[in-house]
Amino acid sequence: MATNSALKGSRLAASASTLSASDSGKPPVPQPPTVTFGRRTLSGRYISYSRDDLDSEIGSVEFANYHVHIPPTPDNQPMGDEAPVDPAISARVEEQYVSSSLFTGGFNSVTRAHLMDKVIESDVNHPQMAGAKGSSTCAVPGCDSKVMRDERGNDILPCECDFKICVECFTDAVKTGGGVCPGCKEAYKTTDLEELVNNAKGGQPLSLPPPPAGVSKMERRLSLMKSTKLTRSQTGDFDHNRWLFETKGTYGYGNAFWPKEGGSGSDGGSSTGSGQPSEFMNKPWRPLTRKLKIPAAILSPYRLLIVIRMAVLGLFLAWRIKHQNQDAIWLWGMSVVCEIWFAFSWLLDQLPKLCPVNRATDLSVLKEKFETPGPHNPTGKSDLPGIDVFVSTADPDKEPVLVTANTILSILASDYPVEKLACYVSDDGGALLTFEAMAEAASFSEIWVPFCRKHDIEPRNPETYFNLKRDPYKNKVRPDFVRDRRRVKREYDEFKVRINGLPDSIRRRSDAYHAREEIKAMKLQRETAGDEVVESVKIPKATWMADGTHWPGTWWVPSREHSKGDHAGIIQVMLKPPSDAPMTGDTDEGKLLDLADVDIRLPMLVYVSREKRPGYDHNKKAGAMNALVRASAVMSNGPFILNLDCDHYVYNSKALREGMCFMMDRGGDRLSYVQFPQRFEGIDPSDRYANHNTVFFDVNMRALDGLQGPVYVGTGCLFRRIALYGFDPPRSKDHSAGCCSCCFPRPRKSRAAVASEESRALRMGDSDDDEMNLSTFPKKFGNSNMLIESIPVAEYQGRPLADHPAIKNGRPPGALTIARDLLDAPTVAEAISVISCWYEDKTEWGQRVGWIYGSVTEDVVTGYRMHNRGWKSVYCVTKPDAFRGTAPINLTDRLHQVLRWATGSVEIFFSRNNAILASPKMKILQRIAYLNVGIYPFTSIFLIVYCFLPALSLFSGQFIVQTLNVAFLTYLLVISMTLCMLAVLEIRWSGIELEEWWRNEQFWLIGGTSSHLAAVLQGLLKVIAGVEISFTLTSKSAGDDVDDEYADLYTVKWTSLMIPPLTIIMVNLIAIAVGISRTIYSVLPQWSRLLGGVFFSFWVLAHLYPFAKGLMGRRGRTPTIVYVWSGLIAITISLLWVAIKPPSANSSQIGGSFTFP
């Protein structure tokens, strides 16, 4: 097999293999895929090369190898026995090739890389964009290669005559042509290729020297400390980091920060005896975050009221049990049972609110520590860790691609170091529409991102920005802002036209290619059959890409291996990783914007569609997220992961920095995630269905932040990658006393055992004796060497700076200023392997590692598992909001959304994720909060019964108590007053409004009598009968009426979930009428019983008012079925009442007297 010498200096291919299948009793494991790059050049030649496997640190596991076959490309031609090109140049050539290739593959299939000459219909010119056309063809006769290019995508012309020449022809001219230009026949002034590239960059040297021969990328990144002696940290204590990695760079103190073997670490007085530079010892330390406690004037009365209400509830329930209503014992019994459950439910909800906190960040300190030139970072390059942003989408019909594209643009424009940011788009539907929309977004980002940086645009979602109601020119000082904004607005309007026209464009293109293929097939059939009569040829109608090839994902007309549940894995690098050094724009007047002083680099953007095959459980969103975790670990390996839904965009460009303040602060290494609140746009001003969820996000979540941390709510969450991998937090034994340690203390361990435990920076196991054994990693994480070797790298890079004595698990400053490795073909091929449908077989993905499977609310379960291992989380509320998204304002969509959440809670209650079974590492109040998450849907059973009690009371002429005496009224008054006072104090310390609190109370009853009850029934069916539950995506598209922003609010779509609350409304209305008529015409009116029943009926109807208003719609759009059900319920109740006890001739009451049958 011929070896391509131009790519020898690139990264060695890591293993994508399975464990040896020779073990007895184990079924055969699928063979690793063969990786080929299947595209023929214009010359029609093929060439291939093989690479050895990366030497693994796991010596006890056998791995098979695969080979990468790569053809020649315009940038990569065989050179025979000539001298190889410089490794730094060849690595950039390969990265350009990889970024322009569409990688596909999967189970038992060949992994191919298809070179995309054209990704979208329009032209793209940005050098990072896939399919960029920034260079022309070599002018040497017979050569079809592209000319040399610099980082900006501009042509490199080595001769003053501007003769266009490619890198291979230039090398030939230097070595065999005497260094003479083929154009003007004059000698080249510069014959060194590296010097030529550096001159094109303006004389700037390369970011890093060429790598030493024989050293792998993993070894260049970090070196494992070999010392077996006791290492002393900056505190003078035993160093807790036996998994200590150091960079081999030369930035600042780097290696000198930690003492070397056999030395004190001091070098000319530059560091102290403990190995810490004197600059850090003398400089005052400043925290990145601070905790803002709730004022005692608010919090103390709040806690006192909780205690008082608990005592009053206990006395009230004891009084209710003692004083039975003998006239209606059945009514009394039902009411007492419901009241006991309501008191228990209130306790579960209220107890975790005892310790609410607020937090604040200091972005200036973050910039000073990580991005300011200093002794440890002379160049001032960013020392912040990398962040991989995940955006998930599944159906372009329910999740419009324009919304997803705007989310991508807001991420690319975020105020975070460009080289440290990578965005991964998961298209679980494998749709070409989403693929081309992301390509269009990548193309438009060339204009949008520099425009945002130049003028400090906020928010950085173009759709939101151009629709702002406020003055867009306020606080804009640059004189060219008006002109730039007008030009960008025009470009964005054209961008929207292209996005909205993509479905028709793809259909027309596919129809045209399909017709051409049919004509070719018919001609071929006629030539073969001769004069015989032939039938018409039927060819599967494929979906075609812009470059005239089949789309490997889902087709418009589904067929085998091209449907939503059956297609290959796809990876396309839309924007390749940016260069390490800033790259400013040109001052060319022909450009759309003047970007002379603006960094025009763009973050890495990758399109991912995991493989799907029949017979495999793909685990919905959780499976898609886990596929992104693995693919990103192989390609960029950011130590932190930001998870966003496709409709949640970055509203505050500094949100990522605010989240990083918590992760990089003292004690941040024990944080598993930073949860941001969900804020929504497009909600009606009255928030009829409590879509903002302000009580949950501003009351409950702030309260949990004072405990072990908020729950994970599915989006807007910054994860620590190592926590997602299922590892325990550092120093976990110091924080695992549990709630019963005072009564049952654990036996103390010996000092040797403690030292052995402290020597591990990574632990994985709930048991005390679970040692970290690298040989077991393939069974936990799968058989990818590159994925396994990225784990300790992510752990190290995610550590806070070791700039304070209290930071025990830190890293030296300046360690992350080294440029990241260039992307190469084996890396992307490995990423294809780890997103295949078979990869998770016999591993712990979804069970212990990554997003947890088995629940429709995988987010809550995933966060619960982290808290159960001892991790903490924090709640980050920013001003302005960090992220904003959309929520369903339609009643039916809202009920189905709540149904999905409640069903997930029921599943949690009946699973091993029930908080009752939590480990001692979880705090008692945190456990109560998680217990409430699983129990709250069951309140619907008692709530529905209680909503019918007023009507039953009015029908029967009885009440839940014998008489409305002073004791009952006093208890009722005190309970109601304490509830109102608690609500007022919650409003004070949380900052919400009274109307928002009342909307939450209303929808609590609406959801409790509809969605929650259905969730309980579905959960019981799943547990008892094993009936699986399926849900559809919540539609994120706007209503049909484009002139009315809230048109969807008035759309009534009938669902069976509406039957219970509708029945409650009709029953209570009829009962009020019956009760009033009976009392008026009664000989001895019982006004006290009437007032009690009518009061509670009105209480029920007041809570259900938004539901009734939603059923009415507007302009006569109320569905006929609403009237049908209302009439049917009213007639049924009337007939039932008459049938139970018909009125007698001597009865003085209207309709007789109702008694419980």
Side-chain angles (χ1 to χ4, degrees):
M1 185 181 293
T3 302
N4 190 338
S5 57
L7 299 174
K8 276 185 177 180
S10 300
R11 186 174 186 167
L12 297 177
S15 173
S17 63
T18 59
L19 289 169
S20 177
S22 59
D23 298 338
S24 60
K26 294 185 178 180
V29 181
Q31 293 299 319
T34 303
V35 183
T36 63
F37 289 81
R39 186 186 184 281
R40 187 174 57 183
T41 59
L42 297 178
S43 60
R45 292 178 295 170
Y46 287 92
I47 193 170
S48 59
Y49 70 99
S50 62
R51 298 177 176 179
D52 298 326
D53 286 283
L54 183 65
D55 295 334
S56 173
E57 297 174 0
I58 309 172
S60 60
V61 181
E62 295 182 1
F63 288 88
N65 303 330
Y66 66 68
H67 301 285
V68 178
H69 309 281
I70 184 169
T73 67
D75 294 329
N76 172 34
Q77 296 287 341
M79 299 176 62
D81 298 330
E82 299 173 3
V85 182
D86 180 76
I89 304 299
S90 65
R92 285 186 168 84
V93 171
E94 182 176 9
E95 184 182 54
Q96 182 63 33
Y97 174 86
V98 170
S99 65
S100 297
S101 299
L102 180 75
F103 285 75
T104 61
F107 177 65
N108 283 341
S109 61
V110 176
T111 300
R112 295 184 175 88
H114 171 71
L115 184 60
M116 300 284 289
D117 292 332
K118 193 175 185 182
V119 180
I120 53 178
E121 298 290 348
S122 55
D123 294 337
V124 291
N125 299 313
H126 196 278
Q128 291 179 240
M129 176 66 184
K133 300 179 179 179
S135 60
S136 51
T137 307
C138 177
V140 175
C143 181
D144 57 359
S145 301
K146 297 294 183 68
V147 303
M148 296 182 288
R149 290 182 293 174
D150 59 10
E151 291 179 345
R152 303 174 185 273
N154 299 325
D155 296 343
I156 298 178
L157 305 177
C159 184
E160 294 180 352
C161 69
D162 292 342
F163 182 80
K164 298 180 178 181
I165 189 171
C166 65
V167 60
E168 291 84 4
C169 293
F170 175 75
T171 306
D172 292 340
V174 170
K175 295 185 179 298
T176 61
V180 177
C181 173
C184 64
K185 307 303 180 184
E186 296 290 336
Y188 286 119
K189 292 184 178 180
T190 302
T191 57
D192 184 19
L193 186 58
E194 183 177 355
E195 181 181 354
L196 189 64
V197 174
N198 289 337
N199 292 338
K201 294 171 61 178
Q204 297 292 332
L206 293 174
S207 302
L208 288 175
V215 180
S216 67
K217 279 191 174 182
M218 195 64 63
E219 293 173 342
R220 295 204 307 273
R221 285 179 181 172
L222 304 171
S223 60
L224 181 61
M225 194 169 187
K226 304 297 184 182
S227 174
T228 57
K229 300 179 181 180
L230 293 180
T231 307
R232 298 290 170 179
S233 65
Q234 68 269 25
T235 62
D237 299 329
F238 176 78
D239 185 14
H240 294 258
N241 308 320
R242 296 309 302 165
W243 272 86
L244 177 63
F245 294 87
E246 294 180 339
T247 65
K248 289 189 176 181
T250 57
Y251 297 97
Y253 289 98
N255 300 333
F257 189 82
W258 301 95
K260 298 181 180 179
E261 296 182 19
S264 62
S266 60
D267 185 9
S270 62
S271 61
T272 64
S274 61
Q276 181 169 355
S278 58
E279 286 81 359
F280 296 127
M281 298 296 290
N282 299 329
K283 190 174 182 180
W285 183 85
R286 299 170 61 191
L288 293 169
T289 63
R290 63 185 186 277
K291 184 184 295 185
L292 306 177
K293 294 186 177 180
I294 307 297
I298 298 177
L299 193 55
S300 297
Y302 181 74
R303 292 172 175 171
L304 180 61
L305 278 174
I306 293 176
V307 176
I308 292 175
R309 195 165 195 267
M310 289 171 58
V312 173
L313 280 175
L315 294 175
F316 172 71
L317 292 175
W319 182 88
R320 289 279 285 120
I321 294 173
K322 290 181 180 179
H323 296 77
Q324 301 179 3
N325 184 0
Q326 299 296 336
D327 296 336
I329 194 69
W330 56 273
L331 196 63
W332 169 86
M334 289 192 295
S335 63
V336 168
V337 171
C338 293
E339 288 162 3
I340 292 175
W341 179 266
F342 292 152
F344 172 69
S345 178
W346 177 82
L347 279 177
L348 292 182
D349 180 68
Q350 199 65 50
L351 287 178
K353 298 180 182 178
L354 290 173
C355 306
V357 296
N358 291 322
R359 300 182 187 270
T361 59
D362 195 335
L363 296 180
S364 62
V365 177
L366 184 76
K367 185 174 183 62
E368 176 186 342
K369 288 187 176 184
F370 292 91
E371 296 179 323
T372 302
H376 60 283
N377 186 11
T379 61
K381 295 175 62 177
S382 177
D383 197 24
L384 287 169
I387 298 180
D388 294 336
V389 185
F390 295 171
V391 179
S392 59
T393 182
D395 190 344
D397 295 328
K398 294 186 177 181
E399 299 169 331
V401 291
L402 181 60
V403 175
T404 307
N406 277 285
T407 300
I408 300 302
L409 291 170
S410 69
I411 294 170
L412 298 179
S414 296
D415 184 7
Y416 200 79
V418 183
E419 66 277 10
K420 302 297 181 71
L421 189 62
C423 180
Y424 293 82
V425 182
S426 170
D427 178 18
D428 226 24
L432 179 60
L433 176 59
T434 305
F435 176 84
E436 294 199 1
M438 296 306 99
E440 289 284 0
S443 177
F444 179 69
S445 66
E446 177 187 1
I447 303 170
W448 175 250
V449 174
F451 169 70
C452 293
R453 292 173 182 162
K454 179 180 179 180
H455 298 289
D456 272 337
I457 300 300
E458 292 289 347
R460 299 191 175 182
N461 177 324
E463 183 68 23
T464 304
Y465 171 71
F466 288 121
N467 290 328
L468 286 176
K469 299 290 192 288
R470 65 173 185 261
D471 183 11
Y473 308 109
K474 187 177 180 180
N475 300 328
K476 302 301 179 185
V477 297
R478 299 189 68 129
D480 56 350
F481 171 71
V482 176
R483 182 192 61 191
D484 289 353
R485 185 181 186 277
R486 186 179 299 116
R487 292 179 176 179
V488 174
K489 178 66 167 62
R490 184 175 61 250
E491 291 293 326
Y492 178 66
D493 290 339
E494 295 177 0
F495 165 75
K496 288 201 297 184
V497 171
R498 292 195 301 270
I499 290 288
N500 293 328
L502 278 178
D504 293 336
S505 175
I506 295 174
R507 284 192 180 95
R508 288 195 301 268
R509 180 203 310 153
S510 299
D511 290 341
Y513 280 115
H514 180 68
R516 187 193 66 178
E517 292 299 310
E518 283 187 335
I519 294 174
K520 287 183 178 179
M522 290 178 62
K523 288 182 178 180
L524 181 62
Q525 189 180 36
R526 289 173 181 173
E527 292 175 358
T528 305
D531 297 334
E532 298 180 3
V533 179
V534 295
E535 298 180 356
S536 58
V537 181
K538 292 184 179 180
I539 299 178
K541 192 171 184 180
T543 300
W544 295 75
M545 293 188 289
D547 66 341
T549 56
H550 283 178
W551 169 243
T554 302
W555 289 354
W556 288 106
V557 180
S559 65
R560 184 175 176 272
E561 296 187 352
H562 292 285
S563 60
K564 284 189 176 181
D566 184 14
H567 62 79
I570 308 170
I571 291 181
Q572 170 71 64
V573 182
M574 295 290 185
L575 293 171
K576 70 177 183 179
S579 59
D580 186 48
M583 184 171 59
T584 57
D586 299 327
T587 57
D588 187 2
E589 295 182 357
K591 296 287 185 179
L592 184 68
L593 303 176
D594 182 9
L595 304 174
D597 300 325
V598 181
D599 189 357
I600 64 171
R601 293 177 301 163
L602 301 174
M604 179 179 175
L605 175 62
V606 182
Y607 171 90
V608 179
S609 181
R610 58 178 174 146
E611 183 193 20
K612 287 188 174 183
R613 298 299 180 193
Y616 284 87
D617 187 0
H618 302 107
N619 296 296
K620 303 181 179 65
K621 180 182 176 181
M625 290 294 99
N626 285 338
L628 286 186
V629 170
R630 298 190 295 270
S632 62
V634 171
M635 298 182 69
S636 56
N637 198 31
F640 297 97
I641 294 172
L642 176 64
N643 155 234
L644 291 175
D645 286 343
C646 64
D647 62 326
H648 272 73
Y649 67 91
V650 181
Y651 187 78
N652 183 354
S653 63
K654 291 181 171 53
L656 277 66
R657 292 179 177 269
E658 299 224 22
M660 199 54 62
C661 286
F662 292 101
M663 292 294 191
M664 293 291 103
D665 203 10
R666 180 176 56 186
D669 57 336
R670 291 184 53 81
L671 294 181
S672 57
Y673 59 86
V674 177
Q675 178 65 61
F676 295 87
Q678 291 185 21
R679 305 301 188 197
F680 303 102
E681 294 178 334
I683 307 298
D684 56 295
S686 63
D687 193 13
R688 180 185 294 176
Y689 305 125
N691 287 279
H692 283 300
N693 273 339
T694 49
V695 172
F696 174 76
F697 287 112
D698 290 325
V699 178
N700 297 71
M701 296 289 272
R702 289 176 193 264
L704 290 175
D705 197 14
L707 303 177
Q708 203 168 340
V711 298
Y712 167 44
V713 294
T715 183
C717 190
L718 182 66
F719 283 100
R720 183 179 299 276
R721 183 183 288 269
I722 207 67
L724 276 174
Y725 285 156
F727 290 99
D728 292 344
R731 310 178 301 282
S732 59
K733 296 303 176 184
D734 299 338
H735 302 79
S736 60
C739 61
C740 301
S741 59
C742 56
C743 302
F744 304 99
R746 293 187 176 185
R748 292 183 175 272
K749 294 186 177 182
S750 63
R751 290 190 176 184
V754 173
S756 174
E757 182 178 319
E758 289 178 341
S759 67
R760 297 194 304 269
L762 296 179
R763 291 185 69 257
M764 188 176 186
D766 294 328
S767 61
D768 296 341
D769 301 326
D770 193 355
E771 297 284 345
M772 183 179 186
N773 187 0
L774 287 179
S775 63
T776 64
F777 272 27
K779 297 180 180 179
K780 299 178 185 294
F781 301 100
N783 46 34
S784 170
N785 255 4
M786 296 177 68
L787 173 61
I788 292 173
E789 289 169 339
S790 71
I791 293 174
V793 178
E795 189 276 333
Y796 169 77
Q797 293 181 347
R799 297 180 183 178
L801 286 183
D803 59 350
H804 189 272
I807 299 178
K808 300 179 181 180
N809 190 37
R811 61 173 172 85
L816 303 185
T817 56
I818 297 179
R820 84 164 92 190
D821 298 316
L822 298 177
L823 202 61
D824 56 13
T827 300
V828 186
E830 184 79 359
I832 283 287
S833 175
V834 298
I835 66 171
S836 61
C837 60
W838 57 267
Y839 186 84
E840 294 183 354
D841 289 352
K842 300 180 182 180
T843 66
E844 294 188 0
W845 284 100
Q847 308 301 321
R848 180 189 182 89
V849 180
W851 270 259
I852 306 301
Y853 302 153
S855 173
V856 295
T857 52
E858 72 287 333
D859 44 8
V860 177
V861 178
T862 302
Y864 166 80
R865 289 290 187 89
M866 294 180 183
H867 286 143
N868 201 35
R869 287 193 293 268
W871 288 96
K872 294 182 179 181
S873 60
V874 297
Y875 196 52
C876 181
V877 182
T878 64
K879 295 294 182 181
D881 300 332
F883 310 101
R884 284 193 179 181
T886 59
I889 61 175
N890 179 265
L891 176 59
T892 303
D893 293 338
R894 177 75 167 126
L895 291 178
H896 281 288
Q897 183 186 56
V898 175
L899 172 63
R900 180 169 59 85
W901 296 342
T903 304
S905 296
V906 176
E907 291 176 341
I908 292 173
F909 181 79
F910 287 111
S911 70
R912 62 190 182 98
N913 297 310
N914 193 316
I916 298 176
L917 307 176
S919 71
K921 297 179 182 178
M922 183 176 291
K923 295 183 178 180
I924 181 63
L925 291 181
Q926 188 80 17
R927 185 180 306 203
I928 291 176
Y930 273 113
L931 183 61
N932 187 42
V933 169
I935 282 182
Y936 82 89
F938 295 94
T939 305
S940 61
I941 301 173
F942 305 92
L943 188 60
I944 285 185
V945 173
Y946 211 73
C947 287
F948 280 112
L949 287 183
L952 295 177
S953 175
L954 290 171
F955 282 135
S956 63
Q958 303 295 330
F959 195 53
I960 58 177
V961 293
Q962 190 78 31
T963 58
L964 293 177
N965 53 22
V966 176
F968 175 77
L969 294 177
T970 302
Y971 279 125
L972 185 63
L973 179 62
V974 174
I975 290 173
S976 302
M977 290 297 296
T978 52
L979 178 63
C980 294
M981 294 171 68
L982 283 173
V984 171
L985 291 176
E986 281 185 1
I987 291 172
R988 289 287 304 276
W989 63 255
S990 64
I992 66 174
E993 297 179 359
L994 180 60
E995 183 182 6
E996 294 173 331
W997 180 86
W998 172 238
R999 291 298 186 202
N1000 179 80
E1001 291 295 310
Q1002 287 180 312
F1003 198 80
W1004 168 76
L1005 194 141
I1006 295 172
T1009 55
S1010 57
S1011 301
H1012 294 177
L1013 179 64
V1016 172
L1017 297 178
Q1018 289 184 351
L1020 292 175
L1021 283 175
K1022 181 178 180 180
V1023 173
I1024 298 174
V1027 178
E1028 288 297 327
I1029 306 167
S1030 61
F1031 289 94
T1032 57
L1033 285 174
T1034 302
S1035 178
K1036 300 175 176 62
S1037 58
D1040 298 332
D1041 191 350
V1042 295
D1043 297 329
D1044 189 352
E1045 183 180 359
Y1046 308 116
D1048 205 32
L1049 177 68
Y1050 307 103
T1051 303
V1052 182
K1053 296 179 285 187
W1054 177 258
T1055 174
S1056 57
L1057 296 176
M1058 296 179 178
I1059 296 177
L1062 181 60
T1063 304
I1064 292 173
I1065 292 176
M1066 297 303 302
V1067 168
N1068 279 275
L1069 287 175
I1070 296 174
I1072 291 174
V1074 170
I1076 293 176
S1077 63
R1078 174 191 289 116
T1079 305
I1080 291 176
Y1081 294 102
S1082 177
V1083 178
L1084 297 174
Q1086 299 289 333
W1087 292 103
S1088 61
R1089 295 180 178 179
L1090 173 67
L1091 291 177
V1094 170
F1095 173 78
F1096 284 108
S1097 288
F1098 273 117
W1099 177 86
V1100 173
L1101 294 175
H1103 282 74
L1104 291 174
Y1105 172 72
F1107 175 83
K1109 193 174 180 180
L1111 286 181
M1112 294 300 101
R1114 69 173 181 182
R1115 294 194 295 271
R1117 296 185 179 180
T1118 305
T1120 308
I1121 194 171
V1122 174
Y1123 298 110
V1124 172
W1125 268 101
S1126 301
L1128 181 62
I1129 292 171
I1131 295 172
T1132 303
I1133 294 171
S1134 302
L1135 293 176
L1136 180 64
W1137 177 37
V1138 173
I1140 290 175
K1141 189 173 182 181
S1144 60
N1146 299 325
S1147 177
S1148 60
Q1149 296 182 354
I1150 305 283
S1153 177
F1154 177 87
T1155 58
F1156 190 75

